[in-house]
Amino acid sequence: MAIFGFKNLTFSYPEAEKHALQEINLSIEQGEFIVLCGASWCGKSTLLCHFKTVLTPHGDQEGERLFNGVPLIAVDDRTQSSEIGYVLQSPDNQIVTDKVWHELAFGLESLGYDNQTIRLRVAEMASYFGIQDWFMHNVTELSGGGNSY
């Protein structure tokens, strides 16, 4: 069974003269690596926003969106948040806290995990990636390349 499936997905923005997406049929299996490419304004971002209900743009939609065989609209927000990842085009615009440790904890806090579990998971993650020395640094001190962190 596919993790994601779109069946005849058609979408139009309000008052648009043509469809942004038209009869998209797509099936994504566990472990598949998919590349989505195309010209500017061809609907790539619009399609990606249809992978999560909280990101779905306002407009007219037809067809089915399935997650693990279930209509996406029936998948609760917590499940979507914990099992469907999404990184926007500019990751720098997604920073929500001031310190590295809090940025690492933010997602777990949003999912309602208790403090002990959050601390344990953040410590495990930091240890795994070897970044425990960065915990107290401001996220603005992190480098996209040339600096030591």
Side-chain angles (χ1 to χ4, degrees), residues 4 48 51-52 55 67 79-88 94:
F4 271 105
L48 290 174
F51 279 82
K52 292 183 79 136
L55 298 176
F67 179 68
T79 300
Q80 287 190 42
S81 295
S82 63
E83 297 184 22
I84 305 170
Y86 190 93
V87 178
L88 297 171
Q94 296 179 129

Side-chain angles (χ1 to χ4, degrees), residues 14-31:
E15 301 181 27
E17 293 182 18
K18 64 180 200 169
H19 297 299
L21 304 172
Q22 189 164 354
E23 296 182 17
I24 303 294
N25 290 290
L26 175 65
S27 178
I28 301 175
E29 302 290 332
Q30 177 75 35

Side-chain angles (χ1 to χ4, degrees), residues 82-102:
S82 63
E83 297 184 22
I84 305 170
Y86 190 93
V87 178
L88 297 171
Q89 208 164 5
S90 179
D92 289 341
N93 294 337
Q94 296 179 129
I95 303 295
V96 293
T97 66
D98 59 343
K99 299 288 184 193
V100 171
W101 71 267
H102 199 200

Side-chain angles (χ1 to χ4, degrees), residues 44 54 61 68 70 79 110 118:
K44 301 179 299 290
V54 297
Q61 178 188 308
N68 289 325
V70 176
T79 300
S110 298
I118 292 170

